[in-house]
């Protein structure tokens, strides 16, 4: 059954509850939003409203409910489940249903799936809709960058996230933003000086644009709001930079779903139905979440309580607790952003006397440049000397090796292909020359970013260790290939972008397919 217009449709019943077939859900994968509608419902918050909803479900013989929504919708579903038997008994006393129906439909099983672009539900790495919203944000950032570079401007982007800063944080990480404001991790006192100092340093390094991302719920350490207009005025008054504000608003909710969201929602939908089929009267309400790359079932109300605890922690200014409650994915993204956006003064950097070489191998894949940027900046932060090798193993054999600095990789995150250059050539016939250049540059570690050729290349180098001592060093490979065919990894860098390109092309072909029939 479809229940149209959310809980309101359940309360109203009638044509809002419709039996559906296989064909009813054909050709809706690429449609944004929800084809069955969604609505806030005051009536469902009352027992009288829930009585009507229960009566309408019993009339259709429905005792299994899959609810897609946020923590408020899922809390309401759990309360409905707890009250179910009492509601049916009251309906029978009122003569609205038969006594036999109370026994036949004695239990209501519920399973939740979280649909929220804010990714504000604890217990899951990603909620349905978040990835698509991030795509909208990055599309806008990429468009703005052209204007900002041309006019040497600063842009302040306000994104959604009244109580959760995930969209702001991850979009800042994805576009290499200069500064980000989120409610879970407010800036320390005196942030105005710190932000202006960082913007000035970046502009002094010939960076022609500055991007600042502000979550709509951003606050300072005293729980006072930080607005995009406030940030803009600060930059203009303190630095005199030409600054513009862009508020994305409901653009983030629109458009077709990304490939990741289509796959995530499909997998979660299957897991939700399996959970309902396996449920017993004693089974507590559960929510289907994403952990790593697996769809898992977690106790519904435990996740709801954790989500509510985040807001409580922020209200009480326990911001460290708020970040930890958001979960592993949020914490890792925050730590990564801090590492990659904040360059330490030269005098504060440790000296490791360790040299790391980075190269790309195989066919180009979107995200290769972002991986190089991350490796270079983290290596410099740890005090290592970072070397860039151009044109893969072939370039390595010709000595195309140079030191690469923090500022050299600025603006690399959004650029496709491989700025370092990449080739499919394996190192087998160049082993002698590669070993020679590794000794000459005192290379202590090797990072290879690429596809299956990179995997095979490292195998060849490790096999040659008995003959060449220069290869007896740590060697690490980061999978980057649209084919996603590197052993040992669920995802390769570039595969998601390729999938999105395929789904975009499929979407444009659909009208032609319908016409041609």
């Amino acid at each position: 059954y479809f229940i149209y217009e959310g809980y309101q449709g359940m309360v109203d019943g009638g044509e809002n509850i419709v039996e559906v077939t296989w064909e009813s859900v054909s050709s809706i994968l690429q449609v944004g939003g929800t084809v069955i509608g969604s609505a806030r419902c005051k009536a469902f918050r009352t027992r009288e409203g829930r009585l009507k909803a229960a009566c309408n479900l019993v009339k259709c013989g429905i005792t299994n409910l899959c609810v897609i929504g946020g923590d408020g919708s899922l809390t309401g579903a759990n309360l409905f489940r707890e009250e179910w038997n009492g509601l049916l008994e009251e309906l029978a006393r009122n003569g609205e249903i038969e006594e036999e129906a109370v026994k036949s439909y004695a239990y209501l099983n519920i399973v939740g799936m979280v649909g929220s672009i804010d990714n504000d539900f604890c217990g899951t790495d990603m909620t349905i809709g978040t990835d698509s919203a991030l795509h909208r944000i990055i599309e806008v950032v990429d468009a703005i960058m052209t204007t900002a570079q041309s006019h040497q401007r600063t842009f302040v982007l306000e994104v959604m996230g009244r109580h959760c800063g995930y969209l702001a944080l991850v979009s800042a990480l994805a576009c290499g933003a200069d500064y980000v404001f989120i409610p879970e991790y407010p800036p320390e006192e005196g942030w105005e000086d710190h932000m202006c100092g960082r913007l000035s340093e970046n502009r002094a390094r010939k960076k022609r644009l500055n991007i600042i991302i502000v979550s709509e719920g951003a606050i300072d350490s005293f729980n006072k709001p930080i607005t995009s207009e406030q940030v803009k005025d600060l930059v203009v008054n303190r630095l005199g930079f030409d600054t513009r504000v862009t508020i994305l608003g409901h653009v983030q909710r629109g458009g077709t779903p990304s490939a990741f969201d289509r796959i995530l929602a499909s997998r979660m939908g299957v897991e939700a139905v399996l959970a309902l089929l396996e449920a017993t009267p004693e089974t507590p309400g559960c929510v289907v979440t994403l952990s790593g790359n697996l769809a898992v079932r977690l106790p519904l109300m435990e996740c709801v309580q954790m989500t509510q605890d985040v807001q409580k922690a922020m209200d009480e200014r326990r911001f460290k607790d708020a970040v930890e409650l958001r979960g592993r994915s949020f914490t890792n993204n925050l730590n990564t952003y801090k590492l990659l956006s904040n360059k330490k003064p030269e005098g504060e950097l440790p000296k490791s006397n360790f040299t790391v070489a980075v190269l790309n191998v195989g066919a180009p894949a979107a995200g290769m440049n972002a991986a190089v940027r991350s490796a270079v900046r983290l290596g410099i932060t740890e005090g290592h000397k970072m070397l860039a090798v151009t044109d893969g193993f072939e370039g390595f054999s010709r000595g195309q090796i140079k030191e690469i600095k923090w500022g050299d990789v600025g603006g690399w995150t959004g650029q496709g292909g491989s700025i370092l250059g990449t080739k499919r050539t394996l190192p087998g016939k160049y082993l002698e020359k590669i070993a020679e250049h590794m000794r000459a540059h005192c290379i202590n570690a090797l990072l290879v970013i690429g596809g299956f050729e990179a995997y095979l290349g490292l195998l060849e180098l490790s096999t040659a260790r008995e003959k060449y001592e220069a290869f007896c060093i740590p060697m690490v490979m980061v999978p980057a290939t649209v084919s996603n065919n590197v052993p040992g990894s669920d995802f390769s860098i570039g595969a998601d972008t390729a999938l999105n390109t395929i789904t975009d092309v499929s979407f444009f072909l659909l009208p032609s397919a319908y016409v041609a029939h």
Side-chain angles (χ1 to χ4, degrees):
Y1 285 85
F2 277 161
I3 299 178
Y4 288 95
E5 309 308 334
Y7 288 135
Q8 189 65 56
M10 197 188 300
V11 172
D12 294 342
E15 295 181 354
N16 291 300
I17 303 177
V18 179
E19 187 173 356
V20 292
T21 63
W22 181 281
E23 287 73 23
S24 301
V25 291
S26 297
S27 303
I28 66 169
L29 265 176
Q30 75 282 0
V31 179
T34 167
V35 297
I36 59 175
S38 177
R40 300 187 187 278
C41 180
K42 290 182 179 180
F44 193 75
R45 297 178 184 177
T46 66
R47 184 174 176 84
E48 183 183 352
R50 293 192 291 275
L51 269 172
K52 291 180 181 178
C55 184
N56 289 325
L57 292 190
V58 169
K59 287 177 181 177
C60 295
I62 297 172
T63 55
N64 293 286
L65 200 58
C66 178
V67 179
I68 307 169
D71 63 317
S73 300
L74 299 181
T75 301
N78 191 68
L79 175 62
F80 191 44
R81 174 184 173 275
E82 290 174 348
E83 292 182 341
W84 179 258
N85 200 253
L87 293 171
L88 264 56
E89 290 175 353
E90 187 173 338
L91 287 170
R93 285 196 302 271
N94 295 341
E96 296 182 58
I97 62 172
E98 300 292 331
E99 288 287 345
E100 188 61 32
V102 178
K103 297 177 183 177
S104 302
Y105 306 114
Y107 302 101
L108 176 70
N109 295 314
I110 64 163
V111 170
M113 290 190 286
V114 189
S116 167
I117 68 165
D118 293 335
N119 202 31
D120 55 356
F121 193 81
C122 293
T124 185
D125 291 344
M126 188 80 88
T127 57
I128 297 168
T130 302
D131 189 68
S132 298
L134 283 170
H135 275 254
R136 303 293 93 78
I137 296 169
I138 297 305
E139 285 168 4
V140 171
V141 171
D142 288 346
I144 281 174
M145 279 186 169
T146 307
T147 300
Q149 285 179 330
S150 300
H151 296 280
Q152 214 171 12
R153 279 181 178 155
T154 297
F155 271 88
V156 181
L157 267 71
E158 183 181 304
V159 301
M160 282 186 168
R162 192 173 303 152
H163 304 292
C164 178
Y166 186 89
L167 285 178
L169 174 60
V170 177
S171 57
L173 182 59
C175 71
D178 297 85
Y179 221 84
V180 63
F181 295 92
I182 59 174
E184 295 89 345
Y185 190 78
E188 295 179 359
E189 196 173 356
W191 62 268
E192 297 91 342
D193 295 334
H194 184 258
M195 184 190 73
C196 290
R198 185 184 294 181
L199 295 177
S200 296
E201 287 172 14
N202 289 342
R203 193 63 67 91
R205 288 198 292 265
K206 308 299 182 186
K207 186 175 181 181
R208 292 186 60 82
L209 76 155
N210 301 112
I211 300 287
I212 302 167
I213 297 184
V214 182
S215 175
E216 65 176 325
I219 53 175
D220 64 16
S221 55
F222 298 100
N223 278 357
K224 293 180 180 177
I226 296 176
T227 67
S228 50
E229 284 294 334
Q230 178 185 348
V231 173
K232 174 210 166 188
D233 292 341
L234 179 67
V235 174
V236 171
N237 295 332
R238 289 271 192 101
L239 303 175
F241 291 174
D242 187 4
T243 307
R244 299 285 189 275
V245 172
T246 298
I247 300 174
L248 271 63
H250 285 272
V251 167
Q252 294 155 93
R253 294 191 186 276
T256 59
S258 67
F260 182 88
D261 267 332
R262 299 179 199 202
I263 296 164
L264 175 65
S266 298
R267 289 175 58 192
M268 283 187 167
V270 169
E271 189 65 29
V273 173
L274 291 175
L276 287 171
L277 292 174
E278 295 168 11
T280 66
E282 291 75 33
T283 305
C286 75
V287 60
V288 179
T289 68
L290 182 70
S291 179
N293 192 33
L294 299 173
V296 298
R297 306 171 197 172
L298 294 178
L300 172 59
M301 292 315 294
E302 285 186 20
C303 294
V304 169
Q305 186 59 54
M306 284 174 59
T307 303
Q308 293 171 352
D309 287 345
V310 176
Q311 187 59 51
K312 184 179 178 184
M314 289 191 289
D315 291 341
E316 296 173 356
R317 296 169 58 192
R318 293 185 288 109
F319 298 111
K320 184 178 179 182
D321 293 342
V323 169
E324 290 177 358
L325 284 166
R326 281 288 179 222
R328 174 188 59 191
S329 175
F330 189 95
T331 304
N332 288 345
N333 284 322
L334 178 59
N335 290 336
T336 302
Y337 176 78
K338 289 193 291 184
L339 277 171
L340 301 181
S341 64
N342 189 23
K343 183 187 179 186
K344 293 181 180 178
E346 292 291 334
E348 295 181 17
L349 292 174
K351 297 296 180 185
S352 69
N353 296 317
F354 201 77
T355 302
V356 181
V358 184
L359 68 156
N360 293 150
V361 174
M368 275 184 165
N369 298 319
V372 172
R373 171 183 177 269
S374 296
V376 168
R377 290 195 167 180
L378 180 58
I380 291 170
T381 300
E382 294 296 320
H384 308 325
K385 182 179 180 181
M386 302 301 295
L387 300 179
V389 181
T390 56
D391 296 334
F393 288 120
E394 199 172 312
F396 212 151
S397 69
R398 294 199 293 261
Q400 295 172 203
I401 305 165
K402 64 177 182 179
E403 186 173 3
I404 188 165
K405 300 285 191 178
W406 181 283
D408 295 335
V409 293
W412 280 30
T413 50
Q415 297 194 45
S418 167
I419 294 173
L420 292 183
T422 180
K423 293 193 174 183
R424 296 178 183 270
T425 313
L426 295 177
K429 58 183 178 181
Y430 304 116
L431 293 176
E432 181 71 49
K433 288 192 172 295
I434 290 173
E436 181 184 321
H437 288 299
M438 290 181 77
R439 287 191 295 268
H441 289 86
C442 301
I443 294 171
N444 309 110
L446 187 64
L447 174 62
V448 182
I449 301 166
F452 199 71
E453 293 85 357
Y455 177 79
L456 294 176
L458 280 194
L459 282 177
E460 289 186 4
L461 293 182
S462 59
T463 303
R465 279 173 167 167
E466 291 185 8
K467 186 174 180 181
Y468 300 100
E469 189 178 347
F471 299 153
C472 297
I473 60 172
M475 293 187 286
V476 173
M477 179 207 169
V478 175
T481 167
V482 301
S483 304
N484 199 31
N485 62 345
V486 177
S489 177
D490 288 341
F491 283 114
S492 295
I493 293 169
D496 184 65
T497 303
L499 277 173
N500 278 300
T501 302
I502 294 167
T503 52
D504 287 346
V505 171
S506 300
F507 176 72
F508 289 122
L509 289 175
L510 274 175
S512 299
Y514 282 129
V515 171
H517 195 54

